[in-house]
Amino acid sequence: ETGVTQTPRHLVMGMTNKKSLKCEQHLGHNAMYWYKQSAKKPLELMFVYNFKEQTENNSVPSRFSPECPNSSHLFLHLHTLQPEDSALYLCASSQSGTGVRGYTFGSGTRLTVV
Amino acid sequence: AQTVTQSQPEMSVQEAETVTLSCTYDTSESDYYLFWYKQPPSRQMILVIRQEAYKQQNATENRFSVNFQKAAKSFSLKISDSQLGDAAMYFCAYRGNNAGNMLTFGGGTRLMVKP
């Protein structure tokens, strides 16, 4: 049990589909993050939420839509994606305001856009 | 903006030997935190070790230790007595005080351990 759970583990979707990725943490953290991990590229920060409020949108295309209904849950809604969006999407959490102890990560969702 | 560079895309080590993974970073801050994360095939990023920049003493966690050279902006990871389970991607990360909670990651080093 990692403390951060991501579902689904794998997802294949067409470019016209709408799907959602889910992240859940039971660590009492109040900051949550979405990262994109593509082959041969550094991890790219997508979104940051502190106490359910979005505090960072790292120039992410609008076809990615995050949602944070509470401090324990984070969603990433996907629609009309492109093949280049295929990647591993990682969710992480930390204590807000610090992050000095690093993040706790989930195991990611492997997304393939066909 | 801070950048983190890992110049070794791949490294290999014989089981029971020692290996050092390199990491350099660029920052104008004086107070910050550095991390090494391990990502095995299971994909979950696991925190290996962290270093606080204001501490001169190098952090150590069992077989893992760092060589933190603040003036050189270098933060290498040494793995002693390498084990097969150490095979993974290793990522260096930086957390400054001027960017909220956010971590900036390097491009990663793939470590292979030979039996």
Side-chain angles (χ1 to χ4, degrees):
Chain A
E1 175 57 52
T2 70
V4 177
T5 303
Q6 288 188 245
T7 54
R9 188 165 173 80
H10 300 274
L11 178 62
V12 179
M13 60 185 289
M15 289 189 284
T16 59
N17 290 159
K18 290 184 179 181
K19 296 286 185 183
S20 296
L21 310 185
K22 180 182 177 182
C23 177
E24 187 173 358
Q25 57 94 6
H26 305 285
L27 300 167
H29 292 166
N30 39 39
M32 297 186 77
Y33 314 82
W34 280 116
Y35 275 86
K36 176 183 179 182
Q37 186 177 21
S38 305
K40 302 186 188 303
K41 293 177 69 175
L43 274 75
E44 300 173 61
L45 179 65
M46 299 176 73
F47 301 104
V48 180
Y49 278 82
N50 282 288
F51 295 98
K52 303 187 300 179
E53 298 297 321
Q54 186 180 117
T55 56
E56 184 76 19
N57 176 339
N58 201 22
S59 302
V60 180
S62 59
R63 58 185 182 270
F64 295 91
S65 174
E67 179 189 2
C68 189
N70 54 61
S71 293
S72 299
H73 294 84
L74 184 65
F75 295 89
L76 188 62
H77 304 300
L78 316 171
H79 64 98
T80 59
L81 294 191
Q82 305 298 310
E84 60 264 29
D85 297 322
S86 298
L88 180 66
Y89 288 84
L90 291 167
C91 174
S93 69
S94 74
Q95 285 294 341
S96 182
T98 58
V100 298
R101 302 215 62 87
Y103 298 166
T104 302
F105 282 86
S107 297
T109 294
R110 173 74 65 191
L111 174 67
T112 303
V113 181
V114 297
Chain B
Q2 290 82 15
T3 57
V4 179
T5 302
Q6 294 178 247
S7 59
Q8 307 151 315
E10 283 190 358
M11 292 283 285
S12 66
V13 62
Q14 204 71 35
E15 195 176 4
E17 297 295 309
T18 296
V19 64
T20 298
L21 308 184
S22 300
C23 173
T24 58
Y25 56 94
D26 183 26
T27 185
S28 58
E29 297 181 271
S30 59
D31 191 20
Y32 49 86
Y33 299 81
L34 296 162
F35 307 85
W36 277 99
Y37 278 88
K38 171 185 177 182
Q39 187 180 38
S42 66
R43 304 181 331 204
Q44 188 207 350
M45 300 271 279
I46 302 165
L47 179 63
V48 174
I49 199 165
R50 65 187 283 272
Q51 175 77 42
E52 298 163 1
Y54 62 85
K55 289 187 177 179
Q56 292 187 332
Q57 186 173 7
N58 289 323
T60 299
E61 289 287 342
N62 301 313
R63 298 183 294 108
F64 298 87
S65 61
V66 299
N67 183 6
F68 173 48
Q69 301 290 327
K70 191 172 184 179
K73 298 179 183 176
S74 170
F75 182 61
S76 60
L77 175 69
K78 186 172 83 171
I79 306 174
S80 305
D81 185 25
S82 297
Q83 300 175 359
L84 295 178
D86 295 334
M89 284 291 293
Y90 286 82
F91 293 91
C92 178
Y94 169 99
R95 188 273 189 194
N97 281 327
N98 294 332
N101 302 331
M102 291 182 292
L103 295 183
T104 300
F105 287 86
T109 296
R110 180 173 302 281
L111 177 66
M112 294 172 285
V113 180
K114 299 176 182 178

